[in-house]
Amino acid sequence: MSDVTLTLSGLTKTYLSGTPGEVQVLRGADLELRAGEAVALVAPSGAGKSTLLHIAGLLDTPDMGEVEIAGQAATGKGDRTRTAIRRRDVGFVYQFHHLLPEFTALENIVLPQLANGISDKAAQERAMQLLDRVGVAGRAGHRPAALSGGEQQRVAFCRALANQPRVLLADEPTGNLDPETADQVFTALMALVRDDGLSALIATHNLELAARMDRVLRLEGGLLKPVE
Ligand code: ADP
């Protein structure tokens, strides 16, 4: 069986936006991500990193090209199938945590599991294990507002991994944190990725963090190119 978990083939995307007219963000981007591989995505702001991650995570559709996740082609599929693939196999992390403010850290990790049909007991156990792995089990009963920025992101990682996805997509996951916290939080994220044999595509402006991943890709002129 192939160990490729995410394939992007010939992705193109153009936005039609006021002046100066169209913005051709992707012009045939290709990527193969293997199980257990962490890949950094670097590029200046506006180059199209978020667009690429949203298309890879089935939150947006390309104009042309194909996305395959864990062996399942998503191109041309209806919303229900795309949502099912995303829920089962993709975890997403953003620059800002996007946790639900009225729920505790634990509940934020339990809820997506309940939505996937997991029992409450099993969901709570998995949530506690994840919180423990990223060093915030002691904060399980706190709401996001009572957590530090670094703790909020650690909980957001746990939520992204709640349903044991094959692919983790992260859009500047440490971009809001001071350098020392960013370093610690990134270390926690990489431990999760490594221990679970996940594939990760992580957009970052931080070249030091990028260098700690297996490969670095630059999004340039709408194409993905390896960085030496
Ligand atoms: P990055 O994540 O690298 O900063 P984005 O993917 O957010 O880049 O944006 C790439 C380009 O596409 C930018 O020029 C942005 O203004 C434009 N863009 C992104 N989303 C839209 C949209 N929904 N409508 C019009 N233009 C967009």
Side-chain angles (χ1 to χ4, degrees):
M1 205 181 95
S2 158
D3 69 346
V4 175
T5 53
L6 173 70
T7 308
L8 309 179
S9 322
L11 296 183
T12 68
K13 184 78 176 178
T14 298
Y15 292 113
L16 304 169
S17 54
T19 46
E22 351 187 284
V23 192
Q24 210 176 344
V25 183
L26 302 177
R27 299 168 184 253
D30 295 312
L31 170 73
E32 255 190 16
L33 203 58
R34 296 182 175 279
E37 186 180 43
V39 174
L41 176 61
V42 299
S45 268
K49 298 184 296 298
S50 302
T51 301
L52 183 89
L53 288 168
H54 285 148
I55 291 174
L58 309 184
L59 295 166
D60 196 358
T61 50
D63 297 332
M64 286 199 292
E66 313 214 331
V67 179
E68 193 176 303
I69 297 173
Q72 257 208 290
T75 316
K77 299 279 162 57
D79 279 349
R80 281 171 79 104
T81 305
R82 290 166 56 83
T83 301
I85 297 172
R86 186 172 65 242
R87 277 203 183 149
R88 195 184 55 230
D89 286 321
V90 182
F92 226 107
V93 183
Y94 300 89
Q95 185 169 0
F96 187 68
H97 60 79
H98 292 301
L99 296 168
L100 298 170
E102 66 275 39
F103 292 98
T104 65
L106 187 85
E107 288 164 346
N108 267 280
I109 306 164
V110 165
L111 287 170
Q113 297 181 74
L114 300 184
N116 252 17
I118 310 289
S119 75
D120 190 49
K121 183 164 177 285
Q124 298 229 15
E125 275 174 21
R126 171 144 179 92
M128 274 314 291
Q129 281 167 5
L130 283 165
L131 287 169
D132 192 40
R133 286 170 67 190
V134 296
V136 289
R139 316 291 283 159
H142 290 78
R143 291 185 181 178
L147 304 176
S148 71
E151 288 169 341
Q152 289 168 342
Q153 278 309 73
R154 287 170 196 255
V155 176
F157 298 160
C158 296
R159 181 191 47 189
L161 299 190
N163 286 318
Q164 301 182 265
R166 305 280 303 279
V167 178
L168 178 74
L169 302 171
D171 197 352
E172 305 265 2
T174 62
N176 264 335
L177 305 172
D178 65 77
E180 196 184 328
T181 307
D183 196 271
Q184 291 163 357
V185 164
F186 180 77
T187 299
L189 177 63
M190 287 304 283
L192 291 174
V193 168
R194 300 291 188 210
D195 293 348
D196 287 1
L198 286 176
S199 305
L201 181 61
I202 304 176
T204 180
H205 279 302
N206 185 325
L207 296 181
E208 255 171 64
L209 298 186
R212 285 165 57 185
M213 294 185 234
D214 300 312
R215 285 195 279 150
V216 181
L217 296 175
R218 180 178 297 281
L219 183 56
E220 196 179 313
L223 299 172
L224 285 169
K225 300 174 181 175
V227 174
E228 298 310 320

